[in-house]
């Protein structure tokens, strides 16, 4: 059995706690590796390594740090074809999805290559006679990242390239379900010239996370995962005096206006609802057609497309959708579907009894479509995180906007329409962090920032882009005067010197 390790001080280190978790290939249900669950002592060793590496790394000129980021970007590009299957064999997503995910991570590295420019401060000459003022952004210190299973390469890369480029050191705790790709990418960063200790990867579960949350030498924590855990991370980390950003669960709606191009809308819903088996925090899980006629046309076109989805393992290059991550997820999603039927929703396409020859032990399910879902049903209120699309019919546009604003989550949303006036009004009124106008998954590119509103994000900063730079730096403002400006003697008030 392959044993996964930790990466501490630039070296792969075997797990010493004696506790391991199974890593399962979701396409077959077979255990393919064991991931170590770190003890508190092992976490402390990783934090000590990051702490020791901090002074030299923070003092390195940003342009030198950028050189290493450029190397890292090139190494990632040349390893792309090998990284994708490493990711998919533990996650289950298609090869194309894995390549796309790693590509989005590389874009963050490219953004971080511009760090000398991104850290530039502001300067004001003569804020008073002979007095100048300027700002700089300095690293926060040792940062920790706690990441989910669904984007095992990209989500860690939302965090540490920006943190490290800003001069921080980092301890990553990837998901225990699919840690291998994150570990390999961290190893490649070392090959790109990153000094030992600047990026450490510690594998583990709640014990490792709790140790990080309480550790006096951890200064900032980035979390991406479910809302229940994210809220806990935010409250505990902030209670311990740390800077915390926690990006959490979602329920993303796509409003279909009567004037929308129905073929384009259906294409968009198929990709955004069923891509990566619906296991995306930006997946569209609710379609909201406005008007009965729009709804009837939408459901009629969706049904055959969902039934035709090509499902297969990542080794099948034609597959459009892979298995879900685990038996537990599989059972949970099936439970939601049964609950939706009981609550009175109409199951138009039933994906539950799908079997793939040769992969009977895998967690494959086909796409499901519910019509006539209402906002009091669990399938509407909860994040299902599987290939299940619900149609909630709205009588009017205002009803659609109110429904979305009333939902506890506020990650992403989309509207499909040909009417600019409606789109503009929607964008202004909707209480959601990321909005798509005729774009189904409005994931911001690396040089913008990703983040939701309401219970989809705890903390003040979105992730990557300039928000990432702000999260991983502290602002310092310096006011200076040199001897020639000090001739007027002592001042005892807050006035603007001789100008006041
Ligand atoms: P999860 O919350 O179960 O796990 C996330 C991380 O938290 C993992 O590293 C895990 O080891 C750790 N963890 C789990 N239980 C813990 C506990 N009790 N105490 C401390 N740490 C714990 O999430 P998941 O199932 O891996 O990922 C899916 C979730 O992530 C979905 O809700 C999805 O919407 C969300 N997600 C959100 C975004 C976003 O940007 N908003 C992006 C991707 C995924």
């Amino acid at each position: 059995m392959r044993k996964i390790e930790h990466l501490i001080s630039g070296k792969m280190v075997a797990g010493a706690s004696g506790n391991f978790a199974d890593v399962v290939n979701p396409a077959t249900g077979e255990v393919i590796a064991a991931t170590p669950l770190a003890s508190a002592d092992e976490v402390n060793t990783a934090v000590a390594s990051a702490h020791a590496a901090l002074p030299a790394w923070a003092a390195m000129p940003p342009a030198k740090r950028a050189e290493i980021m450029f190397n890292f970007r090139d190494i990632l590009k040349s390893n792309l074809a090998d990284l994708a299957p490493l990711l998919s064999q533990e996650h289950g997503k298609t090869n194309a999805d894995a390549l796309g995910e790693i590509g989005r991570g590389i874009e963050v590295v490219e953004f971080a290559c511009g760090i000398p420019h991104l850290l530039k401060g502001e300067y004001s000459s003569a804020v008073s006679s002979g007095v100048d003022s300027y700002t700089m952004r300095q690293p926060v210190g040792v940062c920790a990242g706690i990441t989910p299973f669904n984007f095992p390469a990209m989500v860690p890369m939302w965090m540490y390239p920006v943190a490290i480029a800003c001069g921080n050191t980092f301890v990553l705790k990837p998901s225990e379900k699919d840690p291998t790709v994150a570990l390999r990418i961290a190893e490649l960063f070392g090959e790109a010239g990153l000094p030992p200790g600047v990026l450490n990867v510690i594998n583990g579960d709640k014990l490792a996370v709790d140790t990080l949350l309480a550790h006096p030498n951890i200064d900032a924590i980035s979390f991406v995962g479910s809302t229940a855990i994210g809220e806990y991370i935010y409250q505990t980390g902030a209670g311990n005096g740390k800077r915390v950003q926690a990006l959490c669960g979602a329920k993303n709606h796509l409003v279909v206006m009567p004037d929308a191009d129905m073929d384009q809308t259906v294409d968009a819903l198929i990709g955004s609802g069923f891509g990566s088996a619906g296991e995306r925090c930006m997946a569209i899980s609710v379609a909201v057609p406005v008007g009965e006629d729009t709804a009837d046309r939408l459901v009629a076109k969706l049904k055959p497309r969902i039934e035709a989805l090509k499902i297969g393992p990542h080794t099948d290059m034609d597959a459009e959708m892979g298995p879900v991550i685990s038996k537990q997820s599989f059972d949970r999603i099936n439970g939601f579907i049964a609950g939706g039927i009981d609550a009175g929703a109409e199951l138009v396409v039933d994906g539950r009894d799908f079997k793939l020859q040769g992969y009977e032990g895998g967690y494959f399910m086909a796409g499901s479509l519910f019509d006539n879902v209402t906002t009091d049903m669990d399938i509407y209120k909860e994040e299902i995180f599987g290939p299940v699309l619900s149609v909630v019919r709205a009588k009017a546009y205002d009803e659609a906007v109110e429904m979305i604003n009333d939902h506890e989550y506020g990650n992403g949303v989309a509207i499909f329409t040909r009417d600019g006036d409606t789109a503009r009004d929607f964008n202004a009124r909707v209480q959601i962090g990321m909005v798509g106008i005729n774009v189904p998954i409005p994931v911001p590119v690396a040089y913008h920032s990703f983040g939701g509103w309401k219970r989809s994000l705890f903390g003040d900063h979105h992730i990557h882009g300039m928000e990432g730079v702000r999260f991983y730096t502290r602002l310092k403002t310096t006011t200076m005067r040199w001897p020639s400006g000090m001739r007027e003697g002592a001042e005892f008030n807050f006035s603007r010197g001789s100008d006041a």
Side-chain angles (χ1 to χ4, degrees), residues 122-140:
E122 295 171 326
Y123 186 94
S124 295
S125 171
V127 293
S128 180
S129 295
V131 181
D132 305 320
S133 203
Y134 66 94
T135 64
M136 63 169 86
R137 293 203 155 268
Q138 293 191 316
V140 174

Side-chain angles (χ1 to χ4, degrees), residues 146-151 155 158 173-177 204-206 209-210 223-227 229 232-233 247-250 280-281 383 385 411 450 456:
I146 300 153
T147 53
F149 80 83
N150 68 323
F151 284 103
V155 169
W158 279 356
K173 205 301 285 171
S175 169
E176 58 273 48
K177 297 192 176 98
D205 57 6
K206 180 171 170 52
V209 173
D210 285 343
F223 169 87
V224 176
S226 60
T227 292
I229 309 297
Y232 165 75
I233 302 269
L247 285 82
C248 297
R280 290 177 179 146
C281 67
E383 180 181 45
F385 225 53
N411 217 38
F450 184 108
S456 291

Side-chain angles (χ1 to χ4, degrees), residues 94-110:
T94 63
N95 190 259
D97 258 347
L99 288 170
E101 156 172 5
I102 301 164
R104 293 304 295 255
I106 293 174
E107 288 172 19
V108 183
V109 177
E110 289 169 349

Side-chain angles (χ1 to χ4, degrees), residues 70-83 102-103 106-107 110 188:
F70 276 107
N71 290 343
F72 182 36
R73 184 252 184 207
D74 291 348
I75 289 184
L76 284 170
K77 285 256 179 195
S78 55
N79 279 271
L80 202 49
D82 295 335
L83 290 169
I102 301 164
I106 293 174
E107 288 172 19
E110 289 169 349
L188 292 174

